[in-house]
Amino acid sequence: MIEIQSELEGKHFDLFKLEQLLKPLGYSIGGNWDYDHGAFDYKIDDEVGYQFLRLPFKAIDGQLDSKGCTVQLQRPFLLSHKYQRGIDDHAEIGNASASFNQFQEPVDKDASFPEKYIEVGKSLVREVESVLLH
């Protein structure tokens, strides 16, 4: 994980409006959210797993699934997940669990981030700052 300092840190936004501004840029709300926190993810590449920029946020007024929720952006970071090739020996079996656990467990959830994408991540943060703050 590589943190990127940003003017976005601490800024408040209406979650719905924030999503409307970030989706056209290629961001999606990551699947790892809860009622009080979440993140927008931008997939940079899928080189042996995937590399992405994450824009984390926390709810400060309301819950993420409620209308009018206000969120506070936190420090953006670059993250790489490396997946094993082939069959996952630890995959859960059964119809109920299979509908939720379709993907392999990461070999390394915090894999080293490829150097060649660090500047790309910084550029993406500057782009978001420009769209949201200027």
Side-chain angles (χ1 to χ4, degrees):
M1 178 177 87
I2 299 171
E3 292 185 338
I4 300 175
Q5 289 189 355
S6 170
E7 296 177 47
L8 298 170
E9 289 180 64
K11 301 294 191 244
H12 297 187
F13 296 92
D14 175 89
L15 180 58
F16 178 77
K17 291 178 184 172
L18 185 60
E19 188 173 8
Q20 298 305 308
L21 291 169
L22 293 177
K23 273 189 170 183
L25 299 176
Y27 291 84
S28 62
I29 292 186
N32 195 17
W33 65 275
D34 207 339
Y35 293 102
D36 64 346
H37 67 278
F40 285 96
D41 289 341
Y42 183 95
K43 184 177 177 181
I44 295 173
D45 195 36
D46 55 6
E47 181 179 304
V48 191
Y50 59 89
Q51 294 73 43
F52 59 94
L53 170 65
R54 178 163 283 175
L55 303 174
F57 56 83
K58 64 180 180 179
I60 57 169
D61 182 22
Q63 294 183 339
L64 298 185
D65 64 343
S66 65
K67 189 174 182 177
C69 177
T70 302
V71 297
Q72 179 182 35
L73 289 176
Q74 298 172 309
R75 183 170 289 182
F77 59 91
L78 299 169
L79 192 61
S80 189
H81 283 201
K82 184 178 179 182
Y83 286 89
Q84 64 184 348
R85 296 189 186 274
I87 298 172
D88 186 354
D89 295 333
H90 302 289
E92 299 194 26
I93 300 172
N95 290 338
S97 67
S99 64
F100 295 103
N101 300 318
Q102 301 175 31
F103 305 103
Q104 292 183 348
E105 284 295 314
V107 171
D108 185 355
K109 290 181 182 179
D110 291 317
S112 60
F113 197 85
E115 190 77 28
K116 63 184 176 182
Y117 296 125
I118 293 174
E119 195 54 46
V120 171
K122 290 178 180 179
S123 176
L124 289 167
V125 169
R126 288 190 299 270
E127 177 185 43
V128 172
E129 288 173 342
S130 177
V131 168
L132 298 180
L133 304 176
H134 305 285

